[in-house]
Amino acid sequence: MLVLWLCLLYGAAADPQHTPDHVRTESEQLEEDARNFLHELDVKGSEECTVATMTSWNYASDITEKHKKEKAAAELKYAEWEKEAWERVRKWNGKWETLSDPYLKRQFKFMSILGTAALPKHDLEKYNNLVTEMSTVYSTAKICDYKNPRSCKLELEPDLTKILRTSRDYDELEHVWKMWRYNTGRRIRDHYKLFVRLANKAAKLNGFDNMGDMWLYPYESDTFRDDLAELWQQLNPLYQQLHAYVRRKLRQKYGEHYVTRRGPIPAHLLGNMWAQNWGHIYDLAIPFPHKASLDVTPQMVSKGYTPRRMFELSEEFFVSLNLTRMPPEFWQHSIIEKPQGRDLVCHASAWDFCNAKDFRIKQCTEVTMNDLITVHHEMGHVEYFLQYQNLPKAFRDGANPGFHEAVGDVLALSVSTPKHLLKIGLLNEVQDDPEADINFLLSMALSKITFLPFGYLIDLWRWDVFSGKTLENDWNCAWWDLRYKLQGIKPPVQRSEYDFDPGAKYHIPGNTPYIRYFVSFVVQFQFHKALCIKAGEYDPLDPSKPLHKCDIDHSTEAGNALGDMLQLGSSKEWPEALEILTGTRKMDASVIREYFKPLELWLAKDNERHGEFIGWETDEILCTSEVVKKTAKSEEGVAASDGVVVGGGSAPGSLLLIFFTLLHFVQF
Ligand code: KAW
Ligand code: ZN
């Protein structure tokens, strides 16, 4: 007791604010007023956010006219609140900058950007409705079956995803690829034109040149675009080796007529609707087929896995690291299986209802290894929510958006190792030899390395669309230009400006920035390396402990270090958060190169042995700026490539176009 009194007395003497005769200075008063003001906004803002998020959830989990209307009304109401709060924050301009507490100043900094709520009400209403409408077109699209054309109820998840994953029928894959774009992108194109105009108007009202610039604001860096370009340059050589290797394997499967020696790869043969993750053609590409396959989907099915079990497995991994369990509300309200009999947004997502108790995931989970990785990905978002739940709302976010995307993936890097799969009973044995190692690294590269150019190009395309550098009547060809240049792929049939292929990927109609995933794929390897060192699972000087074999399972040292970073939310600039965990302030692609080093050496040798051409070139015209309207026959997906020119140029114009396109598409 005496000690306590002494402490209190000492504390009072040391802190001038607690001396009885201390008179508050003006700056102390300002600091306290600011703190109270922010707290008040925080409480009200969180309540408003809960209501708006709930109506959004209701719509996304059950697309009906009623839910659409309720969401539209709630969005307007929330924007009104945001504007009111922003106007009150504005009154602090000139004062908040003088505060001494950086924590308060940073909240003011974030709250000074209003976002789309800056639009006049009728524009905002239009903008919100456009995004909802684009998302509805995408999420409710259905196509006809190739083998049974009268059955027209095939949905992206699970039907089309499964066909892309398992079918090896060139024509069936082409049908699905084409018709998905026919029923999504093409129907979104006109909406997108209006959307871009309104998005840019909002960005300008916030003091940015265009929406692309506004999207980069959370990264708090003036050199961000250049930094990303440099990262991609560092990673491209590894991608090119992988590309050449996979092209040879596909050539063996489909023949040289379809997959040429030096050309880009047809986009529909890569096991995924967008050719963004080639993991599902592992069976075609496996380097040593006599060694174990690392795709444990068959084992998951035979062991009776369910979506629930996949989520529980993921939760156990988080808990083993001393991270936080999911609250009961999570299990009550999450949607982890596709409900029948209603339309919903099946694209996976994680939800924070801003009240520190309701957190949910919505995912149409299938029992596959790929979905097990996605489960960890989504759980990573919720774990971030849980770790920063007690921060003020302005900081309840990732250090940058890429960090949010990286959390679950970091854990999944451990889960995917043969050692871990053995531990959880999804493999019967671990073969520890160089060939098994290459098999494993190739399976990882097919999902991690193949994603990099895709993760990079989506927003390269959008930035140029928002800035006006890419004109409306070049939108689709500019898209294919990037798909060709960065990914080395081509569409199975020629595209035109009648199509809008970017709109066939969720994040375009869903208006979700994408560069976060590229950032995530770089930093997750940096996080992984730091955590593996802490777990004693990686030692750069010990060849028996390479990075790709690390499993951080049950390491509380690793988990605590990760948790410490997550608890910061966005209260510190991301280089600081990165430094706390990894000791460096920069994004660094050399860790990925290090992880895949044995594979890169093996691929280079294998490609050389087979005389493979590294890179791609073509004299095909992949996309024409003429507007080619498909005939009714091909609209049904029956005919392959017949088209009539609707708009467009004269014959000499077309010749010129062919000449320039040829010039454009030759790349070494
Ligand atoms: C990917 C990522 C990790 C592992 C494998 C992967 N393969 C492909 C990707 C990238 C990307 C894709 O599918 O193309 N992945 C996703 O879109 C996963 C969905 C999401 O968790 O990132 C989700 C996207 C979303 C955003 C906004 C509304 C609806 C969906 N993001 C979140 O739910 C989310 C929630 C809170 C904070 C940050 C993100
Ligand atoms: Zn995500």
Side-chain angles (χ1 to χ4, degrees), residues 198 221 277 327 427 442 543 566 611 616:
L198 288 171
S221 162
N277 171 347
L427 278 183
L442 189 93
L566 303 185
W616 45 87

PDB file of all heavy atoms in Angstrom, residues 198 221 277 327 427 442 543 566 611 616:
ATOM      1  N   LEU A 198     -17.395   9.590 -63.267  1.00  0.00           N
ATOM      2  CA  LEU A 198     -17.799   9.998 -61.908  1.00  0.00           C
ATOM      3  C   LEU A 198     -16.687   9.745 -60.895  1.00  0.00           C
ATOM      4  O   LEU A 198     -16.475  10.542 -59.977  1.00  0.00           O
ATOM      5  CB  LEU A 198     -19.081   9.264 -61.501  1.00  0.00           C
ATOM      6  CG  LEU A 198     -20.332   9.744 -62.237  1.00  0.00           C
ATOM      7  CD1 LEU A 198     -21.514   8.820 -61.953  1.00  0.00           C
ATOM      8  CD2 LEU A 198     -20.671  11.175 -61.825  1.00  0.00           C
ATOM      9  N   SER A 221       3.528   7.149 -50.532  1.00  0.00           N
ATOM     10  CA  SER A 221       4.857   7.155 -51.164  1.00  0.00           C
ATOM     11  C   SER A 221       4.787   7.890 -52.494  1.00  0.00           C
ATOM     12  O   SER A 221       3.852   7.686 -53.272  1.00  0.00           O
ATOM     13  CB  SER A 221       5.309   5.709 -51.392  1.00  0.00           C
ATOM     14  OG  SER A 221       6.344   5.665 -52.336  1.00  0.00           O
ATOM     15  N   ASN A 277      -3.605 -17.769 -62.073  1.00  0.00           N
ATOM     16  CA  ASN A 277      -3.031 -18.755 -61.162  1.00  0.00           C
ATOM     17  C   ASN A 277      -3.059 -20.072 -61.936  1.00  0.00           C
ATOM     18  O   ASN A 277      -4.123 -20.541 -62.316  1.00  0.00           O
ATOM     19  CB  ASN A 277      -3.920 -18.805 -59.913  1.00  0.00           C
ATOM     20  CG  ASN A 277      -3.568 -19.942 -58.973  1.00  0.00           C
ATOM     21  OD1 ASN A 277      -2.818 -20.870 -59.315  1.00  0.00           O
ATOM     22  ND2 ASN A 277      -4.100 -19.896 -57.771  1.00  0.00           N
ATOM     23  N   PRO A 327     -14.406 -15.088 -32.900  1.00  0.00           N
ATOM     24  CA  PRO A 327     -15.467 -15.007 -31.887  1.00  0.00           C
ATOM     25  C   PRO A 327     -16.697 -15.828 -32.305  1.00  0.00           C
ATOM     26  O   PRO A 327     -16.841 -16.159 -33.483  1.00  0.00           O
ATOM     27  CB  PRO A 327     -15.806 -13.511 -31.860  1.00  0.00           C
ATOM     28  CG  PRO A 327     -15.360 -12.990 -33.178  1.00  0.00           C
ATOM     29  CD  PRO A 327     -14.240 -13.863 -33.662  1.00  0.00           C
ATOM     30  N   LEU A 427      -0.924 -35.735 -46.430  1.00  0.00           N
ATOM     31  CA  LEU A 427       0.079 -36.505 -47.185  1.00  0.00           C
ATOM     32  C   LEU A 427       0.476 -37.685 -46.306  1.00  0.00           C
ATOM     33  O   LEU A 427       0.468 -37.585 -45.076  1.00  0.00           O
ATOM     34  CB  LEU A 427       1.324 -35.664 -47.476  1.00  0.00           C
ATOM     35  CG  LEU A 427       1.329 -34.700 -48.665  1.00  0.00           C
ATOM     36  CD1 LEU A 427       2.687 -34.033 -48.788  1.00  0.00           C
ATOM     37  CD2 LEU A 427       0.968 -35.384 -49.977  1.00  0.00           C
ATOM     38  N   LEU A 442       7.666 -26.165 -57.914  1.00  0.00           N
ATOM     39  CA  LEU A 442       6.896 -25.857 -59.125  1.00  0.00           C
ATOM     40  C   LEU A 442       5.426 -25.637 -58.771  1.00  0.00           C
ATOM     41  O   LEU A 442       4.778 -24.710 -59.285  1.00  0.00           O
ATOM     42  CB  LEU A 442       7.026 -26.938 -60.189  1.00  0.00           C
ATOM     43  CG  LEU A 442       6.375 -26.423 -61.473  1.00  0.00           C
ATOM     44  CD1 LEU A 442       7.380 -25.740 -62.390  1.00  0.00           C
ATOM     45  CD2 LEU A 442       5.606 -27.470 -62.210  1.00  0.00           C
ATOM     46  N   PRO A 543      22.160 -25.127 -45.067  1.00  0.00           N
ATOM     47  CA  PRO A 543      21.478 -25.626 -46.278  1.00  0.00           C
ATOM     48  C   PRO A 543      20.384 -26.648 -45.968  1.00  0.00           C
ATOM     49  O   PRO A 543      19.528 -26.909 -46.824  1.00  0.00           O
ATOM     50  CB  PRO A 543      22.607 -26.274 -47.093  1.00  0.00           C
ATOM     51  CG  PRO A 543      23.858 -26.124 -46.308  1.00  0.00           C
ATOM     52  CD  PRO A 543      23.585 -25.479 -44.997  1.00  0.00           C
ATOM     53  N   LEU A 566       0.356  -6.505 -36.595  1.00  0.00           N
ATOM     54  CA  LEU A 566      -1.068  -6.360 -36.934  1.00  0.00           C
ATOM     55  C   LEU A 566      -1.760  -5.376 -35.991  1.00  0.00           C
ATOM     56  O   LEU A 566      -2.639  -4.613 -36.400  1.00  0.00           O
ATOM     57  CB  LEU A 566      -1.779  -7.715 -36.884  1.00  0.00           C
ATOM     58  CG  LEU A 566      -1.221  -8.828 -37.786  1.00  0.00           C
ATOM     59  CD1 LEU A 566      -2.110 -10.065 -37.720  1.00  0.00           C
ATOM     60  CD2 LEU A 566      -1.079  -8.371 -39.236  1.00  0.00           C
ATOM     61  N   GLY A 611      16.041 -26.643 -75.608  1.00  0.00           N
ATOM     62  CA  GLY A 611      16.159 -25.579 -76.617  1.00  0.00           C
ATOM     63  C   GLY A 611      14.966 -24.643 -76.629  1.00  0.00           C
ATOM     64  O   GLY A 611      14.560 -24.146 -77.686  1.00  0.00           O
ATOM     65  N   TRP A 616       8.417 -14.398 -75.847  1.00  0.00           N
ATOM     66  CA  TRP A 616       7.358 -14.723 -76.798  1.00  0.00           C
ATOM     67  C   TRP A 616       7.305 -13.674 -77.891  1.00  0.00           C
ATOM     68  O   TRP A 616       7.731 -12.530 -77.708  1.00  0.00           O
ATOM     69  CB  TRP A 616       6.009 -14.835 -76.087  1.00  0.00           C
ATOM     70  CG  TRP A 616       5.761 -13.719 -75.117  1.00  0.00           C
ATOM     71  CD1 TRP A 616       5.215 -12.506 -75.384  1.00  0.00           C
ATOM     72  CD2 TRP A 616       6.099 -13.716 -73.717  1.00  0.00           C
ATOM     73  NE1 TRP A 616       5.167 -11.743 -74.238  1.00  0.00           N
ATOM     74  CE2 TRP A 616       5.703 -12.457 -73.197  1.00  0.00           C
ATOM     75  CE3 TRP A 616       6.688 -14.643 -72.852  1.00  0.00           C
ATOM     76  CZ2 TRP A 616       5.884 -12.103 -71.852  1.00  0.00           C
ATOM     77  CZ3 TRP A 616       6.866 -14.292 -71.520  1.00  0.00           C
ATOM     78  CH2 TRP A 616       6.464 -13.037 -71.032  1.00  0.00           C
TER      79      TRP A 616
END
